[in-house]
Amino acid sequence: MGIDELRREIDRVDREILRLLADRIDVARRIGEAKRAAGVEPYDPLREQRVLDELVRDGSARFPAEGLRAIYREIISASRTLESERSILYLGAAGGLSHHAARERLGDSAPLIACGSAERIFERLDSGDVDVAVLTLEPGSMEAHLDRFDLFLHTESRIFGEFYVEPRPALYGPRDFRPETVYAHPAVLAACSQWVERSSPRTRFIAVGTGEEAGERAAREGAGALGYRVLEGLYGLAPIEEEIGDDPRLTRRFLLVGRRDGARSGRDKTSLIAVIPNRPGALHRIAGILAAHEVNLCWIEPKATRLGAWDHIFFLDLEGHQEDRAIRSTLEDLRGAAELVRLLGSYPSERPASRKIG
């Protein structure tokens, strides 16, 4: 078969793919109508992850797994947007790490909106103005993160999912040449400090307030921008040099927050906050309760709180679901040992193996 015949065959396959995509979109629209009639939330992260996993399992023998995930992430993203066009908030500025993470998880078709205030995110969730928000607790950089856990005490919103993103910053810019002026948020400059040190002395690095500003100025001036893949789609910049971060193993955790509970998957995590008095042995007693019920503590993070001068608030991740007997018993005993315990939700655990979290 000659090249022309093969190209005609490709054209035939492409038309068939388009026909099937139209069929899928039509089904997705009907699913959206059924969900609205039943009062079911349009975004189901567990269902989406299972669909992706099954497709990769069934198709990776003939198609690269990462390629399948990228293609179907966008197909699912477009379908989800048809089911519900309501905005999804992320904590931070456009063009930054949170924006990048939300796109990596939810796809380019997701109606994402930046929100610089955690208080405002919870206000909009509680009012029903939006259904989903993406935020991170990890303070490992100058990027926006939730630094006041006590905000969870004044909201009806809960954590219903988590996901992890490898930041992988890169140099973006014009397609035809390497720019000598590069804009970047200070957090991205810090994440690429070794690469910056090795760069040509002629390269001028300029710190700006947001990734959005870096991308806009690079596109307008024909300059470069350090940042994440989100800059490609937003500003038409091309990747010039990739894998320039100081720590390629770094992984950041993001939470999905809304007015719902996460589905039970059999591999779950339960998050809570506990206000623990500043008394000798108080934290030891908490640890003893977990040990007595053989519940694994996945994560603990302390923060000062405005609730009292000497109390501290702790964010805890426990292995298991709130419907599990061990978790239920643990929560009962914790409420007797702490000043206050607030359950934040149970959801499928997605922590990747052998990754550095930071």
Side-chain angles (χ1 to χ4, degrees):
M1 188 178 288
I3 292 176
D4 289 341
E5 291 176 285
L6 290 170
R7 284 174 174 167
R8 284 193 290 273
E9 181 66 10
I10 283 285
D11 292 343
R12 184 195 66 77
V13 171
D14 284 341
R15 285 192 294 273
E16 182 66 10
I17 290 172
L18 284 173
R19 184 188 68 79
L20 293 171
L21 283 174
D23 288 348
R24 193 187 196 284
I25 288 293
D26 183 58
V27 174
R29 185 180 291 110
R30 283 156 36 207
I31 289 174
E33 292 170 357
K35 284 182 175 179
R36 284 191 291 274
V40 176
E41 296 287 351
Y43 178 39
D44 184 348
L46 179 59
R47 161 69 179 166
E48 291 190 6
Q49 196 60 41
R50 283 176 172 167
V51 168
L52 284 172
D53 290 343
E54 289 174 6
L55 288 165
V56 169
R57 183 194 64 213
D58 295 342
S60 57
R62 300 186 61 190
F63 202 99
E66 286 307 306
L68 274 176
R69 286 191 180 276
I71 290 167
Y72 271 92
R73 179 189 64 204
E74 294 308 320
I75 292 173
I76 292 171
S77 176
S79 300
R80 188 194 320 113
T81 301
L82 280 176
E83 291 182 26
S84 173
E85 296 181 355
R86 301 193 72 182
S87 300
I88 298 172
L89 301 181
Y90 60 89
L91 180 59
L97 180 56
S98 292
H99 192 185
H100 165 74
R103 282 213 174 190
E104 286 291 295
R105 176 64 178 211
L106 300 167
D108 291 345
S109 298
L112 301 172
I113 295 181
C115 188
S117 164
E119 289 93 336
R120 182 60 178 153
I121 281 182
F122 287 118
E123 286 173 6
R124 294 189 65 179
L125 286 170
D126 287 339
S127 71
D129 182 32
V130 296
D131 298 321
V132 180
V134 176
L135 55 85
T136 182
L137 305 177
E138 295 174 358
S141 73
M142 296 172 64
E143 298 278 359
H145 63 279
L146 183 66
D147 58 355
R148 282 185 51 209
F149 296 164
D150 59 290
L151 289 173
F152 274 114
L153 299 176
H154 310 291
T155 177
E156 295 300 314
S157 299
R158 300 177 294 281
I159 301 168
F160 68 91
E162 69 170 2
F163 64 96
Y164 291 81
V165 169
E166 299 172 355
R168 296 179 182 263
L171 172 65
Y172 295 90
R175 296 180 182 276
D176 301 329
F177 65 95
R178 191 180 186 91
E180 292 189 355
T181 299
V182 176
Y183 296 100
H185 185 277
V188 184
L189 282 172
C192 304
S193 61
Q194 297 174 25
W195 178 85
V196 170
E197 288 281 339
R198 296 193 301 268
S199 296
S200 167
R202 295 192 302 273
T203 304
R204 196 167 53 121
F205 293 96
I206 300 176
V208 293
T210 65
E212 182 178 36
E213 183 180 354
E216 286 179 345
R217 295 187 67 169
R220 185 173 65 247
E221 301 172 16
L226 291 183
Y228 309 102
R229 191 181 69 87
V230 67
L231 296 180
E232 286 189 67
L234 287 177
Y235 308 108
L237 302 173
I240 296 173
E241 189 170 349
E242 301 181 82
E243 304 295 336
I244 64 173
D246 292 348
D247 190 349
R249 302 172 301 150
L250 186 64
T251 304
R252 292 293 299 273
R253 177 195 184 201
F254 288 84
L255 301 176
L256 297 164
V257 181
R259 291 169 291 113
R260 70 177 88 170
D261 292 312
R264 192 176 188 178
S265 69
R267 185 172 178 265
D268 300 298
K269 185 181 290 183
T270 294
S271 293
L272 59 104
I273 52 177
V275 178
I276 300 176
N278 188 13
R279 292 198 295 264
L283 188 57
H284 178 74
R285 186 180 178 192
I286 299 296
I289 290 171
L290 300 180
H293 293 287
E294 298 183 336
V295 169
N296 184 40
L297 177 63
C298 306
W299 183 268
I300 183 169
E301 174 83 14
K303 287 283 185 184
T305 173
R306 300 177 182 180
L307 299 176
W310 301 105
D311 292 343
H312 282 72
I313 193 167
F314 286 79
F315 185 99
L316 296 90
D317 285 334
L318 310 181
E319 189 176 285
H321 196 277
Q322 59 185 298
E323 296 176 4
D324 298 343
R325 180 180 298 175
I327 296 295
R328 288 203 310 267
S329 300
T330 298
L331 290 172
E332 289 176 7
D333 288 350
L334 287 177
R335 290 187 174 102
E339 295 288 338
L340 183 148
V341 171
R342 169 73 189 277
L343 178 65
L344 302 184
S346 297
Y347 47 90
S349 175
E350 292 191 16
R351 178 165 185 165
S354 302
R355 284 288 176 184
K356 179 180 177 182
I357 310 299

